[in-house]
Amino acid sequence: MGASFLALLTFLLVVSNVQCNPNYGEALAKSLLFFQGQRSGRLPQDQQIKWRSNSALYDGHQANVDLSGGYYDAGDNVKFNFPMAFTTTMLSWGTIEYGKRMGPHIKEARVAIRWATDYLLKCATSTPGKLYVGVGDPNVDHKCWERPEDMDTARTVYWVSSKNPGSDVAAETAAALAAASIVFRKVDPTYSKMLLRTAQNVYQFALQYQGSYSDSLGSAACPFYCSYSGFKDELLWGAAWLFRATNGVKYYNLVKSLGFDDQPDIFSWDNKYAGAHVLLSRRALLNGDKNFDQYKQEAENFICKILPNNPSSSTQYTQGGLMYKLPDSNLQYVTSITYLLTTYSKYMAARKHTFNCGNVVVTPNTIRSVAKRQVDYILGENPLRMSYMVGFGPNFPKRIHHRGSSLPSVAAHPQSLGCQGGFDPFYHSSNPNPNILVGAIVGGPNQNDGFPDDRSDYSHSEPTTYINGAIVGPLAYFAGIP
């Protein structure tokens, strides 16, 4: 045990280029502000990101419904509900677990969640038998470089139904609405009940008409947000959230009937198994409920695959100490996995629980140190001294792959910029973006800790809602620790 533990300790010391802690409270505030930059629809009076204006006000008209609102997923102008719902679930989970540590920012967290849930409710209730799952043709949109305010591309409406099922997107929508219902339970009981009722209906639809939305939607979902892991993980995740929200035997039985399942070493908008295991393990750890020991074991197996320097680890780390999973938008995996690490360490600490990865004893502090290292790296403690959160610290990405940020605002340039209007001189320019999308976390550095800060390099320079949605919890966790 000694040698392995020392190796882990050495790793943590080597990578934590000892510095003052970043200002987690400031990072938390900015991570939430980012969502205002991604808003679709009619902007409210208190909008703080002023270079954005109203956009896509007539979304849904093609199908004679109002689907305005919600969020653009990344640097484009499409509303993809699959990642949007996951973002909402993660924002809600972060607020449930860490709301008390958010201080005044809990109000902003609720506003960010509600901007999504208001839209998801419309998608779920506008037409009986249909769940709307996206607006905007991604294949057409991705050929354009234009502000959301100028959009002149087809706002095609996509949906799933009993004939064209989408259990993955439906169950994720149910998870988002169920998680949000817990957030609003005390502050807006009426809204909370509506969220929960809708979550139950949407989950029933996911369960009754099983199939993948990728098969139903084809090129509107793939390769953008293809459900590569299938839909069983979402069915488990949705049932786990409905069980958390209702404590109902029905959902407990569903969770159990979905049985033993994959144990991946990743957690993302596509693959929810690890998240469901950590969520369900809470009952075993905090309530001592033996019926949930299976999920505790699965959560710990997952963490062993993540932690460095133990026999079960399957996770690569860069020389600078960043978890490295996949080349495209690696920080999405870092923030989602870091969320699970902080949350599991919090559950462990509450019960002074430890476990083993092979011959290495894992304490709450072991996990917390790895999680903190990831957050600190993102906020600037890395070989480039680059903060990967826009507007945080002295050195951050200036040329992010984001249409609204890279093009002059409507106030600065009132003339419309059509589909091709933004490429020259803006997209191809080496100048910094004219508008700072404060709080946006980009895809991040490569496996050698390098970052070119190049607008056209979208796999590293594009921000996404789900990167930010997952880091809100860990930022609140570290902001609230004295």
Side-chain angles (χ1 to χ4, degrees):
M1 183 185 91
S4 302
F5 181 73
L6 281 174
L8 176 60
L9 200 61
T10 309
F11 169 86
L12 293 171
L13 288 172
V14 167
V15 297
S16 47
N17 309 308
V18 182
Q19 273 202 339
C20 301
N21 285 340
N23 185 332
Y24 301 114
E26 180 195 340
L28 171 64
K30 288 179 171 174
S31 71
L32 289 165
L33 183 59
F34 156 76
F35 286 95
Q36 294 194 18
Q38 296 303 111
R39 283 172 169 169
S40 183
R42 189 172 299 284
L43 302 185
Q45 291 293 308
D46 59 0
Q47 170 82 8
Q48 287 171 273
I49 293 191
K50 298 291 188 191
W51 49 266
R52 282 295 325 281
S53 307
N54 297 338
S55 63
L57 297 179
Y58 301 104
D59 276 2
H61 275 214
Q62 204 185 72
N64 297 314
V65 289
D66 170 19
L67 299 178
S68 61
Y71 291 114
Y72 302 118
D73 71 301
D76 54 30
N77 299 328
V78 186
K79 295 192 311 207
F80 293 98
N81 288 25
F82 192 33
M84 196 197 307
F86 175 70
T87 300
T88 312
T89 311
M90 293 307 292
L91 271 174
S92 299
W93 196 5
T95 307
I96 293 163
E97 291 290 348
Y98 304 112
K100 291 192 172 115
R101 295 166 184 251
M102 286 181 177
H105 305 302
I106 191 164
K107 288 182 182 159
E108 294 140 49
R110 287 191 204 114
V111 166
I113 293 163
R114 191 165 184 149
W115 193 268
T117 51
D118 282 353
Y119 165 76
L120 293 173
L121 283 169
K122 290 180 188 179
C123 291
T125 60
S126 290
T127 308
K130 280 184 184 175
L131 172 68
Y132 294 100
V133 298
V135 187
D137 182 331
N139 296 286
V140 173
D141 179 88
H142 285 190
K143 292 188 178 105
C144 300
W145 198 260
E146 61 184 335
R147 302 177 292 207
E149 293 80 4
D150 289 336
M151 258 188 294
D152 51 5
T153 52
R155 298 299 285 170
T156 313
V157 177
Y158 300 96
W159 65 84
V160 293
S161 62
S162 55
K163 294 194 179 83
N164 292 291
S167 300
D168 24 36
V169 68
E172 182 58 72
T173 302
L177 297 172
S181 78
I182 302 170
V183 171
F184 291 102
R185 191 173 282 163
K186 287 184 179 159
V187 290
D188 192 340
T190 308
Y191 188 63
S192 171
K193 283 179 186 135
M194 180 166 57
L195 290 168
L196 186 55
R197 191 170 59 247
T198 310
Q200 290 173 305
N201 293 339
V202 174
Y203 187 82
Q204 187 53 41
F205 165 78
L207 201 61
Q208 196 169 340
Y209 305 106
Q210 291 192 17
S212 173
Y213 99 118
S214 302
D215 296 336
S216 295
L217 264 62
S219 66
C222 301
F224 310 99
Y225 291 105
C226 218
S227 183
Y228 298 102
S229 69
F231 57 80
K232 193 182 162 196
D233 56 318
E234 278 83 23
L235 288 177
L236 176 66
W237 176 241
W241 272 111
L242 279 159
F243 178 64
R244 177 87 188 258
T246 63
N247 221 15
V249 172
K250 172 184 173 181
Y251 296 110
Y252 168 75
N253 289 336
L254 268 170
V255 162
K256 284 300 195 185
S257 73
L258 290 160
F260 286 88
D261 40 49
D262 287 9
Q263 297 199 27
D265 63 354
I266 207 150
F267 175 49
S268 69
W269 56 262
D270 178 40
N271 195 318
K272 318 288 162 49
Y273 284 117
H277 299 156
V278 169
L279 179 64
L280 292 164
S281 71
R282 178 177 174 271
R283 291 285 293 234
L285 274 167
L286 299 190
N287 303 7
D289 187 337
K290 296 270 185 254
N291 292 312
F292 290 84
D293 278 356
Q294 165 198 338
Y295 306 107
K296 176 165 73 90
Q297 190 55 56
E298 287 173 336
E300 290 172 3
N301 291 348
F302 168 75
I303 290 166
C304 289
K305 290 175 184 173
I306 300 302
L307 297 179
N309 301 317
N310 79 75
S312 327
S313 184
S314 57
T315 303
Q316 181 188 342
Y317 285 78
T318 68
Q319 212 165 354
L322 181 69
M323 200 182 287
Y324 193 80
K325 283 291 178 187
L326 288 165
D328 283 356
S329 189
N330 177 56
L331 288 188
Q332 66 174 303
Y333 309 109
V334 177
T335 60
S336 293
I337 291 168
T338 296
Y339 181 92
L340 298 185
L341 295 180
T342 55
T343 303
Y344 201 76
S345 79
K346 180 183 158 212
Y347 297 164
M348 286 171 71
R351 288 289 175 268
K352 299 190 167 51
H353 174 70
T354 63
F355 65 91
N356 282 42
C357 294
N359 57 356
V360 178
V361 177
V362 177
T363 68
N365 226 26
T366 317
I367 303 177
R368 185 176 164 264
S369 300
V370 174
K372 183 176 183 299
R373 178 69 202 115
Q374 301 312 301
V375 173
D376 292 354
Y377 184 109
I378 290 169
L379 296 179
E381 292 192 17
N382 56 57
L384 293 182
R385 292 281 174 260
M386 161 78 79
S387 158
Y388 291 101
M389 178 185 280
V390 173
F392 184 87
N395 185 24
F396 54 83
K398 304 290 197 301
R399 295 165 194 83
I400 66 172
H401 181 94
H402 188 278
R403 288 157 176 74
S405 168
S406 69
L407 297 168
S409 68
V410 173
H413 189 289
Q415 298 84 355
S416 177
L417 292 163
C419 170
Q420 299 292 311
F423 285 108
D424 287 310
F426 306 108
Y427 177 81
H428 296 301
S429 161
S430 58
N431 292 335
N433 288 3
N435 306 308
I436 297 178
L437 183 55
V438 173
I441 300 175
V442 295
N446 61 29
Q447 65 194 65
N448 303 313
D449 300 296
F451 182 75
D453 196 10
D454 175 354
R455 197 174 292 116
S456 65
D457 180 12
Y458 61 86
S459 67
H460 298 107
S461 67
E462 187 169 18
T464 73
T465 48
Y466 39 92
I467 298 178
N468 273 63
I471 205 172
V472 165
L475 288 172
Y477 176 67
F478 292 118
I481 288 176

